[in-house]
Amino acid sequence: MSNPTTFADQLADRLAIRELVDSYAHLADRRDAQGQAALFTDDARVAVYDGEPDLTEPAQVLTGRNDLATAFGSLRNYDKTTHFNGQSSVTLDGDRATGETYCLAHHLWTEEGQRTLMVMSIRYHDTFVRQGGRWLFAERRLITDWVDRRPSAN
């Protein structure tokens, strides 16, 4: 395991991890499920929670890039999505890191002739690993804090 020894190394790692997190959101909004899955290790795990992970069991667990690509493809059910990543924190430990990122995920679709907007307040608890000089997701816990669903005029 290589430990970053300089501030510049740590800054480069933090930037690379933030770019990874932002790439995930960008690819989701572009409906590139294979591209999203490629941001994860081969054996990555994603767990989806409707509440705090310490208090609830995951509603869904996905393992491996194939399962992830299939699940990410479900975003095609929406007319549009927009994911806004907000504050984030990262703790580096050599070739591993952990972090938390806040996200507001907007989903727009038409249902029975009515445009509908759903906004989800999400927190991602992530474990990252550096493989082949590239940061990837090893584990991602998606925690839904709240959901607002309403008719949309546009």
Side-chain angles (χ1 to χ4, degrees):
M1 185 181 316
S2 66
N3 287 315
T5 56
T6 69
F7 178 76
D9 290 337
Q10 291 181 17
L11 189 59
D13 285 340
R14 289 177 185 282
L15 179 60
I17 290 169
R18 181 57 192 221
E19 287 176 349
L20 174 67
V21 168
D22 289 344
S23 291
Y24 174 89
H26 175 80
L27 292 166
D29 293 336
R30 297 298 166 263
R31 309 298 190 276
D32 186 348
Q34 293 297 327
Q36 271 184 285
L39 301 175
F40 289 78
T41 61
D42 289 334
D43 60 348
R45 179 178 185 271
V46 173
V48 179
Y49 294 87
D50 293 324
E52 289 299 323
D54 296 339
L55 303 176
T56 62
E57 293 296 316
Q60 182 179 22
V61 176
L62 305 161
T63 305
R65 286 183 178 157
N66 289 335
D67 283 353
L68 295 174
T70 299
F72 297 153
S74 68
L75 287 176
R76 291 184 193 102
N77 294 330
Y78 300 102
D79 297 335
K80 299 284 182 186
T81 61
T82 302
H83 292 74
F84 287 105
N85 290 326
Q87 68 268 29
S88 64
S89 61
V90 172
T91 301
L92 297 168
D93 184 14
D95 289 334
R96 296 187 60 81
T98 56
E100 180 181 54
T101 301
Y102 282 66
C103 177
L104 288 177
H106 300 71
H107 302 75
L108 187 64
W109 74 96
T110 302
E111 184 175 49
E112 298 177 12
Q114 172 63 56
R115 299 254 313 167
T116 302
L117 173 65
M118 176 177 62
V119 179
M120 300 171 68
S121 175
I122 296 170
R123 285 178 291 129
Y124 294 107
H125 288 189
D126 296 314
T127 301
F128 309 99
V129 296
R130 183 181 3 231
Q131 292 182 347
R134 178 178 173 221
W135 285 99
L136 298 169
F137 294 103
E139 181 178 17
R140 179 157 249 212
R141 293 187 298 167
L142 185 159
I143 303 151
T144 303
D145 286 327
W146 55 263
V147 176
D148 183 14
R149 180 177 168 165
R150 64 183 103 133
S152 175
N154 297 326

